[in-house]
Amino acid sequence: MPYTKKFIIDFDSTFTQVEALDILGEISLKNDPDQDSKLQAIKEITDKGMEGTITFRESLEQRLAILQANRSQIAELIERLRLKVSKSFERNKEWLKDNGKDVFIISNGFKDFIIPIVSEYGIQRENVFANDFVYDENGKIIDFNRDNPLSKNNGKAETIRNVNLEGEIYVIGDGYTDYEIKASGLANKFYAFTENVHRPRVTSQADHIAPSFDEILYINKLNTKFSYPKSRIKVLLLENVHPIGVELLKEEGYQVEVATGAMSEEELCEKIKNVSILGIRSKTNVTKKVLDNANRLLAVGAFCIGTNQIDLEECQRKGIAVFNAPYSNTRSVVEMAIAEIIFLMRRFQDKSVGMHQGKWDKSATGSFEIRGKKLGIVGYGNIGAQLSVLAENLGMNVFYYDVIEKLALGNATKLSTLDELLETCDVISLHIDGRKDNKCLIDQEKIKKMKPGAILVNLSRGHVVDIPALRDAILSGHLAGCAVDVFPEEPKNNKEPFESELKGLPNTILTPHIGGSTLEAQENIARFVPGKIMEYINTGNTYNSVNFPNIQLPFLKDAHRLIHIHHNEPGVLAKINQVLAGYNINIVGQYLKTNEKIGYVITDIDKVYEADAIEALKNIPGTIRFRTLY
């Protein structure tokens, strides 16, 4: 037998994400009135056995006694386990099929459900060593084969000793019984597998802590599908990114670190070293200084609409793709604008404050319906356009102004100047981006042009309104009220105090930048942004990137994908192809797109590439970044 590496893999919580007997309990106890307490007892017994605080045989006896399971329930168990195979084993199914003869499942679980699962991954039946159920004549599980060494303590070590494997033996598992194989001198290395569960007593004994199977293949130089394992991609998420986004990135196999608040420039400069993916919201500034410290950054995800807090040009120069969520919170912001317009027109804010102070003011003075009033929308993008439709449905007459030619929706009227809009409308709602040119767009002069008694709503960017001028207009009575959700200076977290000249003004609604802060919007953003980042990391797809040329790529099949980011200079594509031709590499697909600053080339090739070819591609003049995907 050739001297090769043999991989011994545990089944429960390693090959699958779950403990199979826990799932069997959900099936067998589904009609039991004490199901919850019994399932919790099974879980606690499982953990004690995995940690080695009770003997494995005791653990097995106690769980089977609670389960009261039947042979007829095994088929449903298998179907449910098929959906719970660990993500990194799924990703490497091809590798497992190619190397199945050198992969062994040694488990304290049961062959009845293990063999049907692992055989689909190319692992041979004779390479599966596990326990056997004992059934009575009615198919009820009444015991286990007590002669099987895997039903006893240290049974895995005894099993391996009996199998007499040759070569280097690597054990992968999450439990203490897996470590015992190495402790018995029967394995070269023990990898504590933490993709699904982290047991400190087990990881403390490991030669290497493996957050995924990708990591194990990579460090053993066996990874042929991915040029870089996902477990090596570090993600830093700031500002309370929604848990769905966190889980999606973890499920992909990335190492994810989460921080609740924003970070200062100095803090982020230190923290971003060795980070591959950065996720932020509106309060964290990704400056040139920060990016100069980002030695491995591939992508930035803005879990919001705006990206003015990110130095997009510097990201572009460094080959860092930026993605945002341009549509995910549109409805939430629009509903807030509508609500605030109604509140201000009816002076609900002042009435509510007065009631809390014990004042009963039933007067209709200064209180108006919104029907028939003129709404002026500054910025007719996604939010402005949807606001236009909803406001018109409520009976408002809608006017809008945008520096870009935009087609009117419904009966909205486009006005040619901002001044005309301000002079015409009863309500002005701002929905513009944060570019520097928009700073103090609504200044003292523009506010004076607004109709006396008009209302101003700003749900866009804090710096687009001159705050002292707005304060003066409210106090003088020139404006009847305002709603402001964004401010030039905002607290970095919920513990910092909020200061503004607008505090305490009449008919003034102040909110803490929550235009998109609904559960629906945050969930939409949390799904959208990670999805785009993972597409970029996994396929090179840049569709919806705010600073890269947008390329929508086909699925890759039977090829290797090379990604080349370069300064937009003449002749780079020709040089790429010259290098490939020089190494006799055939191109099966190539995709190029440029913007004013950079070029983005994706090349699919049909043969294994040589290291020298990759170095030559990296050294082409003008190259910003080069990476291989497969």
Side-chain angles (χ1 to χ4, degrees):
M1 182 182 290
Y3 192 81
T4 58
K5 293 177 179 177
K6 300 288 194 303
F7 289 90
I8 294 172
I9 303 173
D10 184 33
F11 185 77
D12 292 297
S13 297
T14 298
F15 197 90
T16 60
Q17 302 166 37
V18 294
E19 292 287 329
L21 292 188
D22 291 357
I23 305 301
L24 183 57
E26 293 175 10
I27 297 168
S28 68
L29 298 169
K30 112 177 118 178
N31 297 318
D32 192 311
D34 299 321
Q35 180 192 41
D36 291 344
S37 61
K38 288 182 177 181
L39 289 177
Q40 182 59 33
I42 289 171
K43 184 180 182 307
E44 290 172 1
I45 295 165
T46 299
D47 288 340
K48 288 178 182 178
M50 288 294 101
E51 292 166 0
T53 55
I54 63 173
T55 68
F56 176 72
R57 179 160 283 196
E58 288 172 332
S59 162
L60 200 53
E61 289 170 341
Q62 291 174 26
R63 284 181 290 167
L64 288 184
I66 296 172
L67 281 170
Q68 297 294 303
N70 193 285
R71 189 198 299 269
S72 62
Q73 296 162 335
I74 300 298
E76 183 180 346
L77 173 62
I78 292 168
E79 288 307 309
R80 291 180 62 172
L81 290 176
R82 280 196 175 102
L83 301 176
K84 292 292 185 179
V85 173
S86 296
K87 299 294 183 183
S88 63
F89 284 101
E90 279 189 358
R91 283 195 296 271
N92 292 284
K93 189 172 187 177
E94 184 181 332
W95 185 91
L96 288 165
K97 285 189 171 184
D98 290 342
N99 298 275
K101 68 181 189 312
D102 295 320
V103 177
F104 296 77
I105 301 293
I106 297 186
S107 170
N108 295 121
F110 291 81
K111 293 176 185 175
D112 307 59
F113 53 77
I114 294 177
I115 289 174
I117 303 295
V118 301
S119 61
E120 295 173 3
Y121 289 75
I123 299 171
Q124 301 166 8
R125 173 183 287 266
E126 57 268 27
N127 284 10
V128 176
F129 297 87
N131 277 302
D132 309 278
F133 283 129
V134 174
Y135 303 92
D136 68 12
E137 64 275 9
N138 297 314
K140 182 181 177 181
I141 298 173
I142 56 172
D143 204 353
F144 49 87
N145 179 2
R146 292 174 178 265
D147 293 329
N148 189 325
L150 288 165
S151 70
K152 308 171 189 174
N153 265 23
N154 216 13
K156 289 187 176 181
E158 185 179 339
T159 299
I160 291 177
R161 198 175 285 113
N162 294 338
V163 174
N164 194 27
L165 296 177
E166 294 183 9
E168 295 182 14
I169 311 300
Y170 295 163
V171 177
I172 304 166
D174 67 288
Y176 196 79
T177 56
D178 303 302
Y179 161 68
E180 287 178 337
I181 300 171
K182 168 71 185 300
S184 300
L186 295 167
N188 298 80
K189 287 184 180 177
F190 167 56
Y191 295 98
F193 190 80
T194 59
E195 183 172 329
N196 305 311
V197 63
H198 186 283
R199 305 184 199 276
R201 185 164 181 246
V202 177
T203 55
S204 66
Q205 305 290 342
D207 295 296
H208 189 93
I209 298 173
S212 69
F213 191 51
D214 309 286
E215 169 85 0
I216 295 166
L217 294 181
Y218 178 75
I219 62 177
N220 284 288
K221 299 181 179 179
L222 297 169
N223 194 317
T224 56
K225 184 172 183 183
F226 299 104
S227 60
Y228 197 69
K230 296 184 179 184
S231 58
R232 295 278 166 129
I233 292 178
K234 294 184 179 179
V235 181
L236 176 62
L237 300 178
L238 308 180
E239 303 182 66
N240 279 326
V241 167
H242 193 281
I244 286 176
V246 178
E247 286 309 308
L248 285 172
L249 291 162
K250 283 183 177 179
E251 285 177 8
E252 190 67 10
Y254 303 150
Q255 294 184 47
V256 181
E257 182 179 349
V258 177
T260 56
M263 287 187 178
S264 68
E265 185 178 59
E266 290 303 320
E267 288 173 319
L268 194 51
C269 282
E270 182 60 32
K271 200 70 178 175
I272 204 168
K273 294 172 183 176
N274 298 319
V275 167
S276 302
I277 298 168
L278 174 66
I280 62 167
R281 292 174 72 185
S282 57
K283 293 185 178 67
T284 300
N285 291 310
V286 183
T287 63
K288 182 181 185 302
K289 184 176 179 181
V290 169
L291 294 168
D292 285 342
N293 285 272
N295 54 4
R296 283 172 58 179
L297 195 62
L298 294 173
V300 176
F303 286 72
C304 51
I305 293 177
T307 55
N308 58 296
Q309 72 277 37
I310 303 168
D311 189 332
L312 296 178
E313 289 190 7
E314 189 62 24
C315 283
Q316 201 175 62
R317 278 193 288 271
K318 293 181 180 296
I320 299 165
V322 179
F323 298 88
N324 68 339
Y327 316 111
S328 300
N329 65 1
T330 299
R331 179 70 185 202
S332 297
V333 177
V334 169
E335 287 187 4
M336 184 170 177
I338 292 288
E340 291 187 329
I341 290 167
I342 293 172
F343 255 64
L344 294 169
M345 292 291 285
R346 295 289 301 273
R347 302 191 76 89
F348 285 157
Q349 175 73 3
D350 288 353
K351 302 286 187 185
S352 177
V353 170
M355 290 288 283
H356 281 284
Q357 295 172 349
K359 299 175 184 176
W360 182 269
D361 179 10
K362 204 171 181 299
S363 168
T365 303
S367 181
F368 303 95
E369 292 183 352
I370 66 169
R371 181 174 53 177
K373 302 302 183 294
K374 294 175 181 177
L375 169 64
I377 299 173
V378 184
Y380 206 64
N382 300 315
I383 293 174
Q386 191 170 137
L387 174 60
S388 170
V389 173
L390 265 66
E392 187 177 326
N393 286 338
L394 289 169
M396 300 189 81
N397 298 316
V398 179
F399 301 82
Y400 70 93
Y401 167 75
D402 201 303
V403 294
I404 300 171
E405 189 63 36
K406 295 288 182 69
L407 181 67
L409 299 179
N411 295 311
T413 301
K414 184 181 190 300
L415 298 183
S416 56
T417 68
L418 176 58
D419 286 354
E420 185 182 5
L421 187 84
L422 298 174
E423 293 164 357
T424 301
C425 296
D426 305 298
V427 179
I428 301 295
S429 190
L430 307 178
H431 301 285
I432 56 180
D433 62 35
R435 70 186 71 179
K436 293 176 183 177
D437 294 348
N438 286 333
K439 184 175 182 180
C440 286
L441 180 71
I442 307 300
D443 56 11
Q444 187 176 48
E445 179 187 343
K446 297 297 184 188
I447 290 173
K448 284 181 179 178
K449 291 182 183 293
M450 293 175 65
K451 291 174 65 174
I455 281 167
L456 178 66
V457 175
N458 183 18
L459 303 180
S460 59
R461 294 291 179 271
H463 66 262
V464 305
V465 176
D466 182 338
I467 297 297
L470 176 58
R471 180 179 187 276
D472 292 344
I474 296 291
L475 290 175
S476 69
H478 176 61
L479 295 185
C482 67
V484 181
D485 185 50
V486 287
F487 303 87
E489 299 293 332
E490 297 181 357
K492 284 187 165 51
N493 54 55
N494 293 341
K495 294 179 182 178
E496 288 189 13
F498 166 69
E499 298 296 336
S500 173
E501 295 177 66
L502 302 177
K503 287 166 64 176
L505 296 185
N507 206 29
T508 295
I509 300 173
L510 304 180
T511 49
H513 205 143
I514 56 170
S517 295
T518 62
L519 288 177
E520 293 90 345
Q522 293 306 304
E523 287 181 10
N524 290 339
I525 291 169
R527 294 183 191 281
F528 185 86
V529 176
K532 292 301 171 187
I533 290 174
M534 290 185 292
E535 274 187 51
Y536 174 65
I537 298 295
N538 295 340
T539 71
N541 202 330
T542 57
Y543 192 68
N544 284 122
S545 170
V546 296
N547 70 329
F548 265 38
N550 277 202
I551 294 181
Q552 182 84 48
L553 293 162
F555 288 108
L556 184 64
K557 187 176 181 181
D558 299 327
H560 303 278
R561 180 161 284 173
L562 314 177
I563 294 179
H564 195 278
I565 306 167
H566 57 270
H567 298 293
N568 190 3
E569 301 170 352
V572 175
L573 180 61
K575 290 172 185 172
I576 290 172
N577 291 343
Q578 285 171 7
V579 169
L580 295 174
Y583 284 90
N584 198 31
I585 296 174
N586 183 48
I587 296 172
V588 296
Q590 195 165 53
Y591 315 90
L592 165 68
K593 205 162 186 183
T594 62
N595 59 24
E596 66 278 6
K597 296 283 180 69
I598 65 169
Y600 188 63
V601 179
I602 308 292
T603 305
D604 294 344
I605 60 176
D606 64 358
K607 66 176 286 186
V608 176
Y609 43 80
E610 298 176 28
D612 290 348
I614 299 305
E615 285 304 309
L617 290 167
K618 288 179 179 178
N619 291 321
I620 290 173
T623 300
I624 296 173
R625 172 168 278 167
F626 177 86
R627 67 188 178 104
T628 59
L629 288 186
Y630 308 101

